Amino acid sequence: MLKKIIIVSYCALAILLMSFTPKTSTVVDKVEFQNPTEVTWKLLGQIDFIKKKNPHYGEVMYPMVNGTLKALQGKKIKASGFIVPIDSKSYALSKNVFAQCFFCGNAGPETIMGIKFKGSTPRLKTDTYVTMEGTFRYNADDIDDWIYHIENAVITHQK
């Protein structure tokens, strides 16, 4: 009988102590704590295009993203450029000012990155030069979307 009381007491004490032990393992977004890799427009410009059939548009030029950028998919990056408005609610980051960006000048679609801000979209002036950090994503399949994206973007410097 004494053995049973000791065993029950021991188990009860163990359960009680475990309930006060702090949990040490928490799930954390790994991207949040990465040091950002600086992505330059020169690197973004190292891209080739291949002609492929598209069911909606016929023959279209699809981007072939280089291996360095493929390795950055989902990683934290830092990029600088000019703010270009896309519509009343969204912006893109451009290598060039608005008058020289790819849909107005002679540059290509690799000179612009779509932006999805972390939190609400700030109000920005056209051609403001900014540096931002966020998660890099490239798109090689959807021709109705930007090739490059910076998601969860936060402006770290603004001129």
Side-chain angles (χ1 to χ4, degrees):
M1 178 77 173
L2 185 59
K3 278 186 175 182
K4 286 182 182 179
I5 292 174
I6 292 173
I7 290 173
V8 168
S9 297
Y10 179 77
C11 289
L13 181 61
I15 290 171
L16 179 69
L17 289 175
M18 284 191 303
S19 69
F20 289 107
T21 305
K23 296 187 191 281
T24 56
S25 66
T26 57
V27 178
V28 176
D29 183 7
K30 292 179 184 178
V31 175
E32 187 83 22
F33 295 103
Q34 289 176 349
N35 286 327
T37 300
E38 186 162 0
V39 172
T40 64
W41 292 107
K42 182 178 180 181
L43 176 60
L44 294 170
Q46 294 172 2
I47 190 168
D48 290 317
F49 292 89
I50 186 169
K51 216 180 255 191
K52 289 201 255 181
K53 266 290 202 211
N54 179 283
H56 303 289
Y57 302 110
E59 268 194 2
V60 177
M61 300 299 281
Y62 281 85
M64 292 176 40
V65 177
N66 69 57
T68 302
L69 292 172
K70 283 183 179 181
L72 290 175
Q73 180 85 317
K75 302 272 176 34
K76 190 170 183 181
I77 64 160
K78 176 180 176 178
S80 298
F82 297 94
I83 292 294
V84 174
I86 302 306
D87 56 33
S88 64
K89 295 182 183 181
S90 60
Y91 301 97
L93 187 67
S94 177
K95 174 183 177 182
N96 303 306
V97 294
F98 181 73
Q100 295 174 324
C101 75
F102 89 92
F103 46 83
C104 296
N106 292 326
E110 71 281 0
T111 63
I112 204 157
M113 295 177 77
I115 304 171
K116 285 201 175 149
F117 286 98
K118 184 176 189 175
S120 62
T121 302
R123 198 166 173 99
L124 298 166
K125 289 186 176 183
T126 301
D127 293 339
T128 301
Y129 191 80
V130 298
T131 299
M132 53 180 47
E133 293 181 8
T135 307
F136 180 72
R137 179 174 68 86
Y138 71 87
N139 161 45
D141 300 314
D142 183 357
I143 61 168
D144 292 322
D145 195 8
W146 306 113
I147 298 170
Y148 303 124
H149 293 266
I150 185 164
E151 298 175 339
N152 296 313
V154 175
I155 296 174
T156 58
H157 190 263
Q158 184 172 334
K159 287 184 186 177

